Amino acid sequence: MPTVFEHDVIERGFTMAELYALSEADRERYQEELKHYRDALSMLRTAREEGIAEGIEKGIEKGIEKGIEKGIEKGIEKGIEKVEKGIEKGIEKGIEKGIEKGIEKVSKKVWNRRFSA
């Protein structure tokens, strides 16, 4: 068939003409082989689609797992940071209060010594 007619309606016409030129037995054999070819092609497409779907599903699962792991790690880091900051602030406040109480006690003692004697 001339290359001018490839991938065209005319190509299909040539194919049909070639089929009708075959004997009945050859045509049936051709149809049977064509059916097997189409079945195999369909199975390959289905397997490919299922493989893609399975790959996407596994990718999503792994992504979720990694996201959870990272989230937990970040949460722990943030929690530790907050605890450390809380401890620092608690110590600072404790020192301030301790100093205030100490000053108060010393002031009272000094006051009592001065005015009680």
Side-chain angles (χ1 to χ4, degrees), residues 1 3-17:
M1 171 177 26
T3 56
V4 176
F5 300 128
E6 284 183 12
H7 305 294
D8 200 14
V9 173
I10 297 172
E11 178 183 5
R12 189 169 177 185
F14 274 114
T15 302
M16 290 178 74

Side-chain angles (χ1 to χ4, degrees), residues 55-92:
I56 290 170
E57 188 177 319
K58 284 184 179 180
I60 289 171
E61 287 173 7
K62 282 194 175 191
I64 289 171
E65 285 174 15
K66 285 194 177 196
I68 289 171
E69 286 174 14
K70 291 246 183 205
I72 289 171
E73 286 175 18
K74 289 283 186 184
I76 289 171
E77 285 177 20
K78 293 286 184 183
I80 290 171
E81 287 175 15
K82 285 187 177 187
V83 167
E84 288 173 347
K85 285 181 182 177
I87 290 170
E88 286 176 20
K89 284 192 176 189
I91 291 170
E92 287 174 12

Side-chain angles (χ1 to χ4, degrees), residues 16-114:
M16 290 178 74
E18 288 172 342
L19 283 176
Y20 284 108
L22 296 174
S23 69
E24 183 68 29
D26 286 342
R27 205 171 319 130
E28 286 176 11
R29 198 168 32 252
Y30 172 81
Q31 290 296 334
E32 190 63 31
E33 287 179 17
L34 185 60
K35 180 185 178 305
H36 288 298
Y37 169 77
R38 288 179 178 157
D39 288 345
L41 194 60
S42 176
M43 286 188 316
L44 285 173
R45 281 191 192 122
T46 301
R48 183 174 185 266
E49 289 169 3
E50 288 174 358
I52 289 171
E54 186 178 329
I56 290 170
E57 188 177 319
K58 284 184 179 180
I60 289 171
E61 287 173 7
K62 282 194 175 191
I64 289 171
E65 285 174 15
K66 285 194 177 196
I68 289 171
E69 286 174 14
K70 291 246 183 205
I72 289 171
E73 286 175 18
K74 289 283 186 184
I76 289 171
E77 285 177 20
K78 293 286 184 183
I80 290 171
E81 287 175 15
K82 285 187 177 187
V83 167
E84 288 173 347
K85 285 181 182 177
I87 290 170
E88 286 176 20
K89 284 192 176 189
I91 291 170
E92 287 174 12
K93 290 281 185 188
I95 291 171
E96 286 175 19
K97 289 284 184 186
I99 290 172
E100 285 175 17
K101 293 266 184 189
I103 290 172
E104 235 177 77
K105 273 187 172 180
V106 169
S107 294
K108 281 183 183 178
K109 281 185 181 179
V110 170
W111 181 264
N112 287 337
R113 282 188 189 163
R114 260 190 172 170

